[in-house]
Amino acid sequence: MGLFTNLQLKWFPQPLAKLGSFRGQKVLVVGGTTGLGLASAVHFVDLGASEVIITTRSTSRGEAAKTKLESIARGKEECPCIHVMELDMDRFESVVAFVEQLKRQYSDDGGLDYIILSAGIHNASFGLSPEGW
Ligand SMILES: NC(=O)c1ccc[n+]([C@@H]2O[C@H](COP(=O)([O-])OP(=O)(O)OC[C@H]3O[C@@H](n4cnc5c(N)ncnc54)[C@H](OP(=O)(O)O)[C@@H]3O)[C@@H](O)[C@H]2O)c1
């Protein structure tokens, strides 16, 4: 993004997406239990997505985020489906199982419309996962 565009956006920010602008859309938020991912998932529920899928390594964190999203969704005209899927990107086996499940559940159903990749950590110290990445 150039300097001019940066300055323009600073003084004349683009309007937020309109309510209902994601109506009928299926959105996957990888890493949607906390932080930026959960905030995005809340937005997609607010914007009318028909299905919001979040991923987690922990059943309890997944269920807590799902409860929060469902409480926001409850007041909506068209209540979206909230799904939690298991994914640990530190484990190759988990990544493969996740992709296989996605293909099984969504490839015959028009696929996904948007994918937000928000899983990650902010680590000051360098370290490798058990897989070596
Ligand atoms: N927050 C900021 O201001 C900011 C700014 C620039 C960049 N970022 C980057 O954006 C990413 C998200 O930031 P955040 O602040 O939203 O972090 P966060 O609140 O810690 O959320 C991280 C998310 O990633 C998931 N996750 C973590 N490790 C994972 C793994 N090995 N496999 C699968 N999922 C994993 C967590 O899910 P579970 O724990 O439920 O599995 C959680 O939902 C990070 O990479 C961060 O460095 C953040």
Side-chain angles (χ1 to χ4, degrees):
M1 196 182 295
L3 179 63
F4 177 73
T5 313
N6 262 328
L7 287 173
Q8 194 182 30
L9 287 174
K10 183 176 166 69
W11 299 111
F12 304 101
Q14 288 188 337
L16 294 173
K18 288 197 181 80
L19 289 180
S21 53
F22 279 75
R23 185 156 290 137
Q25 308 285 298
K26 279 179 253 165
V27 184
L28 166 66
V29 183
V30 178
T33 53
T34 55
L36 299 174
L38 179 58
S40 318
V42 167
H43 268 303
F44 289 117
V45 168
D46 274 338
L47 294 172
S50 62
E51 195 164 336
V52 177
I53 307 134
I54 57 172
T55 71
T56 186
R57 294 164 295 174
S58 134
T59 312
S60 60
R61 277 196 297 278
E63 286 309 309
K66 182 178 177 180
T67 303
K68 178 174 179 158
L69 292 169
E70 282 177 342
S71 74
I72 293 163
R74 209 160 291 133
K76 306 276 165 220
E77 208 174 291
E78 293 164 45
C79 197
C81 298
I82 313 294
H83 294 299
V84 181
M85 291 177 70
E86 195 187 310
L87 171 65
D88 181 352
M89 290 172 63
D90 280 348
R91 293 189 302 114
F92 186 65
E93 189 187 32
S94 171
V95 175
V96 171
F98 173 71
V99 171
E100 289 304 323
Q101 193 185 346
L102 266 189
K103 285 199 282 194
R104 267 197 312 277
Q105 283 183 224
Y106 295 98
S107 57
D108 289 343
D109 192 22
L112 296 163
D113 297 292
Y114 295 92
I115 301 178
I116 307 296
L117 302 174
S118 187
I121 50 169
H122 184 69
N123 250 0
S125 56
F126 177 79
L128 292 175
S129 75
E131 302 282 358
W133 59 57

